Amino acid sequence: MCRSLALALLAPLILLYPALIPHDAIAGVNPKCLNSDAGAQARLIAYDHRGSGDPASPPSIPKVRAGDISYTQPPPNAQTAVSPYEMPEDVRLDWTKWPSTRVTYGGVPFEFMGVHVTNKDESDKQPCIRLMFRVMAPVYEAHGGVPYLVSGWERKTPKLISVGEGVSRFVAFDSSEQFYLINLAKLRQDVFWRQRFDLYISNVRNSTDPRARPVHFERLLFNIIRRSRYSAPAIEKEDRERFKAATFEELKRRGNDCGSRPDLAACILNVAFMETELGKANPLSVSDALDNSGLAFGPRQLDLGQGRNDARKFAADYLIDKTDAEEADWSNRFLRPIEAMRLRDLRIMYSDVTRRFNDRLGIHGDRVIEVYATGLLEMANADYKLATIRFSGKAELLARLLAADFSNKWGEAAVVRIVAFLRAREQPYGECALLGTWREGVEKYFRPDDVKDFKRRATIVKTWFAKAVGADLSSCGL
């Protein structure tokens, strides 16, 4: 299959793009920034977009007149908008204590927390997150017979959201995109957000610097808002198979004929990545993986916000129109962690930039596969210092695959640590001994959630390796 045919097969992936809901941490020396708080930020769990809190068309909610709504007006101190840095820690750590207004709408009880978003002081040269979040119990008011919840910040120019809009969503926001209503009852019931809240609690308790704790709360609030604004379109089953076929064709063009040589490292790694990396999101659209990330694309979710040369070059060549004055500064504004963006740029990103990037990714689907194949071959052929270890049988190939997958997920420094662990143990390694010792190294140096993810990914690598080389590794436990 030639490249033009590969592109033709990818054409159906130019799907409908998600409608928006109507209307790093910056790495450095700052001790309160999460990336420099090693105890808290060994690694964040990379949840995918399977939670039920994804943006979606709201359910049909009956209109209720203000006179038919009962509510409990919160005390004045709860109505005062405060930043995470001003909140007592026991309140930040208990979402049942977050300031809220309780409303009974259509006979159903709801609980809402208001969040007012502005930019932080420009004199703060290195904020962990560029936006300032202020939370409050919103004030209930009726205007013209319509019930509203109103922000307790900047009351001279009040921001308000109708209660009907609030009850229909996890998060609703007003036309200024500065005032948000978080539907706390829905949030607490959702599996995704319960997991995220547990992760937030874990990070706070593991923080080595108390100044990082309110930043963790900022990140949680920002993630809630981000997830409410955008979700990448899903890839359908037929398009997934077309995408897989196109990756085989691109590897063949580069001298890796996986049809005749399925035992090549790049070929085994590719089929493993098609299980571990090609998730539900369409690879020909940008996605937002939350936390300290930028927009990402492709089957391996190449992050546009982390300063990678390959990602920036791809964006410059195919995603940004350098002749368009409106896009002239997009490299500086949107090829960066989303947490480093100002409010104005976030509004433009969600309303326009994601749409344009998605349009162009669909057009340049063959280039996306080229970038993916380049990265895959680099990982498959990397050194990883494995030459310093003795292997028996086909274990050297398996070690290369494990190292490539591990590097893809946890970085090259993590591979170096595991290889050093292997080198210090008894050699030579057969396939089963290699798998078992690698697992021991992960259990020694990594978090429990990393161990679980390693076992899942290594099982996939092991399965495809065994098929490719004709080995029976069913007795090799992980």
Side-chain angles (χ1 to χ4, degrees):
M1 182 174 64
C2 63
R3 291 175 62 199
S4 60
L5 180 55
L7 180 56
L9 285 174
L10 287 169
L13 286 171
I14 308 174
L15 303 174
L16 295 174
Y17 299 113
L20 294 174
I21 297 175
H23 320 334
D24 7 88
I26 302 174
V29 297
N30 188 342
K32 74 178 181 181
C33 283
L34 304 183
N35 283 0
S36 62
D37 188 356
Q41 289 298 110
R43 194 183 72 80
L44 276 168
I45 298 174
Y47 289 112
D48 60 18
H49 282 71
R50 297 177 201 162
S52 60
D54 290 323
S57 298
S60 177
I61 301 294
K63 292 184 178 179
V64 177
R65 292 187 59 80
D68 299 323
I69 294 178
S70 62
Y71 66 95
T72 302
Q73 197 77 285
N77 64 327
Q79 299 173 29
T80 302
V82 296
S83 75
Y85 303 93
E86 300 168 311
M87 295 175 68
E89 185 160 314
D90 68 305
V91 175
R92 291 198 309 261
L93 291 174
D94 185 348
W95 59 2
T96 67
K97 294 181 180 179
W98 291 357
S100 64
T101 298
R102 290 173 170 80
V103 176
T104 299
Y105 184 96
V108 179
F110 292 91
E111 185 178 355
F112 298 103
M113 181 173 73
V115 181
H116 196 100
V117 182
T118 57
N119 292 315
K120 286 183 178 173
D121 190 334
E122 291 297 323
S123 65
D124 188 348
K125 298 301 182 183
Q126 196 184 42
C128 298
I129 297 174
R130 175 56 64 182
L131 300 185
M132 173 62 78
F133 302 89
R134 295 178 177 88
V135 301
M136 84 295 289
V139 177
Y140 177 90
E141 294 179 1
H143 298 272
V146 178
Y148 288 95
L149 290 168
V150 183
S151 167
W153 180 257
E154 297 179 350
R155 293 302 301 275
K156 291 182 179 179
T157 54
K159 307 292 190 297
L160 65 164
I161 301 171
S162 72
V163 178
E165 182 74 6
V167 301
S168 67
R169 305 180 185 280
F170 271 74
V171 180
F173 52 93
D174 77 323
S175 58
S176 73
E177 301 183 29
Q178 288 184 271
F179 176 43
Y180 291 79
L181 278 182
I182 298 179
N183 192 327
L184 290 180
K186 281 191 173 184
L187 192 79
R188 294 169 187 150
Q189 293 168 5
D190 186 71
V191 172
F192 178 92
W193 287 115
R194 288 205 301 268
Q195 291 175 327
R196 274 279 169 179
F197 185 76
D198 289 344
L199 175 63
Y200 154 68
I201 295 295
S202 174
N203 282 336
V204 170
R205 288 174 176 167
N206 291 326
S207 292
T208 57
D209 189 331
R211 289 174 294 175
R213 294 169 188 167
V215 183
H216 285 294
F217 187 69
E218 281 187 309
R219 170 165 275 169
L220 177 63
L221 291 176
F222 198 15
N223 282 340
I224 293 170
I225 290 172
R226 284 166 68 175
R227 192 175 171 85
S228 73
R229 298 300 308 275
Y230 173 79
S231 183
I235 183 172
E236 303 297 331
K237 183 177 180 180
E238 290 184 359
D239 295 323
R240 178 185 295 275
E241 296 309 312
R242 291 188 181 98
F243 198 91
K244 289 181 179 180
T247 63
F248 274 84
E249 202 58 34
E250 179 62 20
L251 288 174
K252 183 177 180 180
R253 188 179 74 84
R254 300 190 186 202
N256 292 265
D257 187 346
C258 299
S260 60
R261 288 292 310 279
D263 59 327
L264 294 174
C267 297
I268 302 173
L269 193 61
N270 180 52
V271 292
F273 278 176
M274 288 298 104
E275 285 194 43
T276 58
E277 300 299 313
L278 185 59
K280 292 187 176 182
N282 188 328
L284 299 189
S285 65
V286 289
S287 64
D288 175 6
L290 305 185
D291 301 315
N292 185 29
S293 68
L295 296 174
F297 72 95
R300 291 180 52 233
Q301 290 298 287
L302 192 61
D303 198 319
L304 293 168
Q306 298 301 327
R308 290 179 51 127
N309 291 334
D310 51 358
R312 293 188 68 86
K313 184 178 187 310
F314 183 93
D317 291 344
Y318 304 113
L319 299 184
I320 298 174
D321 183 354
K322 294 183 286 294
T323 66
D324 189 333
E326 183 183 0
E327 298 185 19
D329 61 343
W330 276 18
S331 292
N332 294 325
R333 293 167 63 191
F334 302 112
L335 304 188
R336 61 190 313 191
I338 293 177
E339 291 179 350
M341 293 184 190
R342 293 171 176 82
L343 183 59
R344 174 177 174 271
D345 285 344
L346 283 167
R347 294 181 64 178
I348 295 171
M349 185 188 75
Y350 287 127
S351 65
D352 189 34
V353 173
T354 52
R355 176 182 57 80
R356 295 201 200 185
F357 279 4
N358 286 346
D359 288 343
R360 293 162 189 174
L361 282 165
I363 294 170
H364 299 293
D366 56 340
R367 305 302 181 191
V368 174
I369 290 182
E370 287 179 1
V371 172
Y372 162 74
T374 297
L376 183 145
L377 289 167
E378 288 175 353
M379 285 184 286
N381 297 322
D383 177 37
Y384 301 115
K385 306 298 182 183
L386 293 173
T388 61
I389 299 175
R390 291 179 293 119
F391 300 98
S392 62
K394 299 281 188 177
E396 183 175 2
L397 174 59
L398 178 57
R400 179 171 298 281
L401 296 170
L402 290 171
D405 182 73
F406 209 79
S407 173
N408 176 64
K409 182 66 178 179
W410 287 282
E412 291 187 18
V415 178
V416 170
R417 197 170 199 181
I418 296 298
V419 170
F421 183 84
L422 291 170
R423 194 162 49 241
R425 267 96 190 133
E426 185 177 350
Q427 303 175 37
Y429 287 104
E431 290 91 341
C432 289
L434 171 66
L435 288 165
T437 308
W438 199 298
R439 184 203 68 239
E440 291 174 13
V442 177
E443 290 173 340
K444 179 176 181 179
Y445 294 120
F446 290 80
R447 294 159 52 108
D449 52 281
D450 292 313
V451 175
K452 182 179 179 180
D453 203 18
F454 162 73
K455 290 180 179 179
R456 177 185 66 85
R457 298 176 68 96
T459 297
I460 293 171
V461 170
K462 179 186 79 168
T463 298
W464 285 108
F465 166 81
K467 289 181 179 179
V469 303
D472 181 7
L473 302 185
S474 58
S475 62
C476 298
L478 279 168

